[in-house]
Amino acid sequence: MNPQPGRTLHKELGLADLVLAQVLCVVGSAWVGIAAKLGRAHVAFWVGAMVLFYVPLAVVVIWLNRMMPLEGGLYQWAKLGFGEMAGFLTAWNLWVYAVIVAGAIIFVVPTDLAYMIGPAAAWLPASKLATLLLTGTVMAVIALAAVRGLNVSKWLHNAGSVLIMLAYAILLTLPLWAPARPAARYEAVPWSPPRLNWFSLAVFGQMTVGALSGFEYVAILAGECRSAARTIGQSVMLSAPVICLMFILGTSSVLAFVGRQPINVIGPIPQTMRAALGSTGVGGWAAPFAIGLVLARAIAAASLIFTGLTRLPMTAGWDHLTPDWFARLDARRGTPVNSILFVAALVMALILLSMLGVREQEASQLLTNASIAHYALAYVGLFALPLMGRAALRARLPAWVKVAALAGLVSSVVSLAIAVYPIVDVTSRLEYAAKICAVVAIANGLGVLIYRAGRHRAR
């Protein structure tokens, strides 16, 4: 479906690009620090999150993409399975999530840069002006790459994926060779029974919809993939085992070097690198190099997510649910330039608003949990499709896919409900929860108004 005859989306992505994109989209640097707050019980929680959410997500995405390999991914699936309004609101929550999480990823740049430079740059993350200048520069580079198209930006995404795997390779082997000895006894796969309390449940919520999400996101670009019905599912199966090992072993390395200190949830890997490698000798060059890899990944991941979120207003424009302005493609590059410029401005506005009146770690967690709440709502729609979608869709799905969908649905609801519980020190828990609830309520109210306006224009 293309609104402009003669101007088509270019099919730039093959299987190797999609595997690297899955790793880049799913594996973030913050999640191993968040999981490390659970101590030796982190493996039990990772395993639980993988069984109850990660595997069901992979199963449902592979089946739905095989049945409906359409540009727009979840938006098209929900529209066909529930109807136009439900499809729009599902995609709307996914889009709002992507806007927020793009801002959250870019927000780590000052923290990573401070760890890379050393103590002399410790002031950077706390400076609002420096943060805006740095994040604004990164956003401009990402927007320029998006305007040029996937034939350019896919190389940034692929490089970022390779670099984050290299950074994790260093992180995973630190206990074996780092100049500084681990502060705690290193166990690659520790085991401790999970303690069930509100804090643990809040971390679990972030480990599911936050850390282990993203498989369906690449399906947004199905119209720009070669053999999308086959290659997107293959990319999920190839990347999943690698991602699981990176998260579990990475968390164990963070615990070994930082576990008894306060963990920086914005930049736990750079914090671990500095603790393990120090600032002199080999650490004088090895730590900045390793931290630079994480920083490069953050920029590449933000670029990938930004690319996907600019496609959702475009596909909604094809259905006349958003102004046609969003659906216009550049005559030469075939990219939605108007959507790209609009989203870039929106991400920067969100970063600015998130910093008002709070410290940097609280601002980061506000962005993270607000994005998780919207993503959880989108996942409720995704997992409900095999269970409550149109009969014609449900009839084509095996029973075991529906069982997987039920597990994913329950996990998503839990993550949504617990998103208001902070896992870092905040100025006020009530205000923190109120901000997240207000963002979700206002955003969805705005989504309903935009949908109704779109239907009115279409009529």
Side-chain angles (χ1 to χ4, degrees), residues 185-252:
R185 185 167 66 92
Y186 173 69
E187 297 176 274
V189 186
W191 185 263
S192 180
R195 287 178 293 179
L196 300 180
N197 52 40
W198 289 115
F199 177 83
S200 297
L201 192 60
V203 174
F204 179 79
Q206 294 199 31
M207 291 167 69
T208 52
V209 174
L212 294 174
S213 58
F215 278 150
E216 86 301 329
Y217 196 80
V218 174
I220 292 173
L221 305 173
E224 295 161 89
C225 300
R226 296 188 288 273
S227 304
R230 175 174 53 86
T231 54
I232 289 178
Q234 289 176 338
S235 72
V236 171
M237 290 186 285
L238 290 172
S239 62
V242 176
I243 291 168
C244 292
L245 286 174
M246 291 171 73
F247 274 136
I248 291 176
L249 299 179
T251 305
S252 296

Side-chain angles (χ1 to χ4, degrees), residues 51-68 77 379-389 393-410:
V51 170
L52 297 175
F53 181 83
Y54 194 55
V55 172
L57 176 61
V59 167
V60 172
V61 167
I62 289 172
W63 273 89
L64 291 179
N65 180 75
R66 187 179 298 168
M67 293 164 58
M68 299 172 282
W77 302 343
Y379 274 132
V380 168
L382 171 69
F383 288 119
L385 277 169
L387 302 171
M388 293 172 275
L393 171 66
R394 287 185 281 114
R396 297 169 62 189
L397 292 170
W400 63 273
V401 173
K402 297 175 184 178
V403 172
L406 180 60
L409 179 62
V410 172

